Amino acid sequence: MTYIAPTTEQLFVLNHIARIDAMAQYERFAAATPDMVEAIVTGIGDFASEVYAPLNRIGDTDNPKWEDGRVTMPPGFREAYKQFVDAGWGTIDGPVEYGGQGLPFTLATVVIEALGSADMGFTLCNILTPGAIHALMAYGTEEQRQRWLPKLVTGEWNGTMNLTEPAAGSDVGALRSTAEKVTDGPNSGLYRIKGQKIFITFGEHDLTDNIVHLVLARTPGAPEGTRGISLFLVPKYRLDANGKPTISNGVRCASIEHKLGIHGSPTAVMIYGEDEDCLGEIVGEEMGGMRAMFVMMNNARLMVGCQGVQIAERATQQAQTFAAERVQSALAGSADRTPVTIDRHPDVKRMLWRMRAQTEAARALIYYAAAQTDFGKLGDEAAALRAEILIPLAKAHATDIGCEVASVGIQVHGGMGFIEETGAAQHYRDARIAPIYEGTNGIQAADLVGRKLGMAGGEGVRSLIADIAHGAGDFPELADLAEACAAVTDWLEQADMPDRLAGSYPYLTMLATATCGWLMALQHQGARAALDTGDGHDAFLEAKIASTRFYLQQIVPAARGLAASILAGDAALPPIASAS
């Protein structure tokens, strides 16, 4: 099925939730004029639907091929990626001094959403490179920035993030990769990297002539755990005197994984320093690796949350199209026994509205989090704190929504949804990885109650709940949920850690649903005002009013029931006895 970018919806959320116009009042983002914003959103929508979308099914069925350490991408991928680079889509929020356009990160998020809705697996190549750029901007030397950033900003080289090892999954501190400093000769000051990393997205491919790996490793004598970890920039090829990637660097792809979904994305097992010296540059200070890596990881977590929006949008479009064409059964209770399209049957309408409302809520959450990040860059400390609180909500809840919506999409298709040829099953398979990587959703929940809950003396979470309550407007359901969130927050602040963690996941879902409800209420108000003044497309505005009302009156009330699970605490989770 084809993909059509929801340009009108994206612009509406940018204006009413992200407040892109307010960003443009600052000198740093002055170029983000309404005309520029509309041109970018429209342009990337066209590019995504015309260039990336046709590759979605190809990547799913004709997977990347590994042979003798090299990975060849499916037909059409190299040409599409070159068009992405040539068009400058990777430069949107890149630093101006290294070839970027310096526009808001929020706009770059829209670019990633459009590309990922068109082809989620392929777009993984575009997601991690900005994180590498941010890490080098925050902790790299000026020499490193001059050497590596221009090609990373354009996308001519891509960046990867290397954390996971066979014996160190979510427990990053258990890694065993090593880095030994070279003290003499022409490579003095560099580090010899040795080790194995797994689950490395686009760790090897033929889209670019170099790949820049950011690798976590431990220097000799460093303490165990995360405190002893350092971060290293390890290119596939070192640069020669002319700045060209021509020098082999002991980086080898041992294999790529066979996965449930995202087949268009090669997930690599990487070996460093096995047969020849693998040299890396330290980023930041020794044993400062986790600080530098978290710059990458926060960016990646928000982009993974965006993947929830991507897959939900694609699944929703496909389900709506199918339901509008599939004729089956007369309407129950109707005197006319003529079969109708299934989108007229009440239960299918319920599913379609749920898909649409959840997708719009997730998009608002992601755009809002990205915008708070941008306002934080502009010096707004309250926005920076709000962004910290939102990251676990955005990553976890939006990816849960992606899985739910993809699953409901299969249900709308009925038996045909279970058949691969319709494409509905691919969305479900692709979506399922997002709640797992870049910190599982359970880890996001633990981060929320273990670290974020206490930020600014608890004011970070409390100010969010206060804004939700204040913005409930004509929806008592949202006011009730905000009150319940405040009550369970009080309880969690006094609870011991086992009780906090036991209730962490339902708490994240409850707070995220309340946040989405607030953002949907703001859109409801904005759509009503625009409809009253005749400012906008009536059909879109009426649909927006319907979807926001559905979310606030049918999805928000159910989240209040999660309070019981939160308050049950650790006592509700006794050890599970062995089946034998």
Side-chain angles (χ1 to χ4, degrees):
M1 130 173 211
T2 58
Y3 161 70
I4 301 172
T7 304
T8 303
E9 159 75 5
Q10 290 168 329
L11 288 168
F12 186 87
V13 180
L14 282 173
N15 289 322
H16 288 83
I17 299 301
R19 296 191 301 123
I20 195 79
D21 56 336
M23 290 182 205
Q25 301 306 307
Y26 292 82
E27 182 179 356
R28 177 170 178 172
F29 294 141
T33 61
D35 287 346
M36 174 65 80
V37 170
E38 184 169 356
I40 288 173
V41 175
T42 303
I44 192 58
D46 292 341
F47 180 87
S49 61
E50 295 167 8
V51 180
Y52 268 41
L55 301 175
N56 190 48
R57 192 63 176 164
I58 294 172
D60 189 55
T61 56
D62 187 357
N63 311 158
K65 303 295 190 298
W66 179 93
E67 183 177 358
D68 193 26
R70 306 290 184 184
V71 172
T72 303
M73 294 299 292
F77 276 55
R78 290 186 66 183
E79 294 79 4
Y81 189 81
K82 185 177 185 304
Q83 289 185 59
F84 165 85
V85 172
D86 291 346
W89 289 118
T91 69
I92 296 294
D93 69 329
V96 175
E97 59 269 40
Y98 303 106
Q101 299 183 51
L103 290 164
F105 170 58
T106 307
L107 277 178
T109 301
V110 180
V111 169
I112 291 297
E113 184 207 328
L115 294 173
S117 297
D119 190 334
M120 176 180 163
F122 187 18
T123 303
L124 279 160
C125 187
N126 307 116
I127 282 181
L128 291 176
T129 303
I133 294 168
H134 293 159
L136 288 174
M137 286 297 293
Y139 292 99
T141 65
E142 182 55 32
E143 183 181 0
Q144 287 174 328
R145 294 173 191 154
Q146 293 287 349
R147 183 184 304 121
W148 302 107
L149 284 184
K151 298 285 190 181
L152 286 171
V153 166
T154 62
E156 292 171 80
W157 299 339
N158 75 292
T160 76
M161 184 163 54
N162 286 236
L163 290 79
T164 308
E165 298 183 6
S170 297
D171 183 10
V172 178
L175 65 80
R176 290 291 175 262
S177 293
T178 62
E180 184 176 355
K181 193 170 187 178
V182 180
T183 57
D184 54 25
N187 296 319
S188 179
L190 299 178
Y191 289 75
R192 291 189 181 91
I193 310 297
K194 288 190 176 182
Q196 178 180 348
K197 299 289 183 177
I198 62 173
F199 302 155
I200 309 306
T201 299
F202 274 88
E204 167 59 23
H205 56 81
D206 62 351
L207 301 177
T208 64
D209 63 3
N210 207 5
I211 303 171
V212 180
H213 302 284
L214 289 189
V215 180
L216 289 180
R218 198 181 306 278
T219 51
E224 293 296 311
T226 55
R227 289 190 305 113
I229 293 175
S230 302
L231 180 65
F232 300 89
L233 186 154
V234 184
K236 178 179 178 180
Y237 295 107
R238 299 202 302 277
L239 307 185
D240 60 25
N242 298 315
K244 303 295 184 183
T246 61
I247 305 170
S248 178
N249 194 32
V251 176
R252 184 172 70 86
C253 175
S255 64
I256 56 176
E257 306 291 355
H258 301 279
K259 309 183 296 287
L260 173 69
I262 55 168
H263 292 158
S265 168
T267 303
V269 176
M270 302 300 299
I271 306 293
Y272 295 94
E274 182 180 58
D275 299 321
E276 61 179 324
D277 278 353
C278 176
L279 299 177
E281 306 174 16
I282 193 164
V283 178
E285 300 176 347
E286 283 195 16
M287 295 181 285
M290 290 307 294
R291 288 193 301 274
M293 183 58 76
F294 265 111
V295 174
M296 283 191 76
M297 190 170 288
N298 272 343
N299 178 277
R301 285 174 173 172
L302 190 53
M303 289 298 93
V304 170
C306 186
Q307 288 185 304
V309 179
Q310 296 163 18
I311 212 70
E313 176 64 39
R314 190 71 185 265
T316 297
Q317 287 193 19
Q318 179 160 340
Q320 288 176 337
T321 299
F322 178 85
E325 296 173 351
R326 176 77 166 101
V327 176
Q328 183 174 313
S329 303
L331 284 175
S334 172
D336 184 353
R337 305 315 298 161
T338 304
V340 298
T341 54
I342 64 171
D343 62 348
R344 295 181 60 190
H345 293 293
D347 189 57
V348 176
K349 285 197 292 183
R350 175 192 62 80
M351 289 190 286
L352 291 174
W353 275 116
R354 186 174 182 90
M355 293 176 75
R356 179 164 182 162
Q358 287 280 47
T359 301
E360 291 181 6
R363 177 179 290 111
L365 179 60
I366 296 300
Y367 284 23
Y368 180 58
Q372 293 303 293
T373 301
D374 278 326
F375 283 117
K377 294 175 186 175
L378 295 171
D380 186 335
E381 294 182 1
L385 175 61
R386 179 63 56 86
E388 287 284 344
I389 302 299
L390 291 170
I391 290 295
L393 305 183
K395 191 279 176 181
H397 193 58
T399 57
D400 281 347
I401 283 176
C403 288
E404 178 199 339
V405 171
S407 178
V408 175
I410 291 175
Q411 194 73 16
V412 170
H413 283 73
M416 293 305 296
F418 207 68
I419 305 301
E420 286 288 352
E421 283 75 8
T422 65
Q426 182 188 343
H427 304 320
Y428 191 46
R429 289 187 287 100
D430 286 351
R432 192 58 191 85
I433 184 57
I436 296 172
Y437 58 21
E438 305 310 337
T440 66
N441 286 359
I443 288 174
Q444 305 306 312
D447 178 51
L448 177 63
V449 302
R451 195 165 68 91
K452 303 296 174 65
L453 192 61
M455 278 188 163
E459 182 57 27
V461 171
R462 291 192 174 283
S463 66
L464 174 60
I465 295 173
D467 284 346
I468 294 167
H470 181 73
D474 297 329
F475 293 97
E477 301 90 346
L478 182 57
D480 289 346
L481 182 56
E483 182 180 1
C485 285
V488 296
T489 299
D490 288 342
W491 184 85
L492 285 169
E493 286 185 329
Q494 303 302 318
D496 59 21
M497 191 53 67
D499 284 337
R500 280 193 185 193
L501 292 174
S504 62
Y505 206 101
Y507 178 65
L508 184 149
T509 303
M510 187 179 188
L511 184 59
T513 303
T515 305
C516 286
W518 170 46
L519 301 177
M520 293 294 267
L522 292 176
Q523 292 181 77
H524 186 89
Q525 295 162 13
R528 278 210 168 280
L531 200 58
D532 290 343
T533 59
D535 183 19
H537 304 292
D538 286 2
F540 167 79
L541 294 170
E542 288 167 355
K544 173 62 72 173
I545 289 169
S547 65
T548 51
R549 184 187 297 116
F550 182 97
Y551 190 91
L552 288 156
Q553 294 182 342
Q554 299 204 34
I555 295 175
V556 161
R560 205 181 193 289
L562 293 169
S565 297
I566 300 165
L567 300 175
D570 189 50
L573 305 174
I576 297 178
S578 171
S580 59

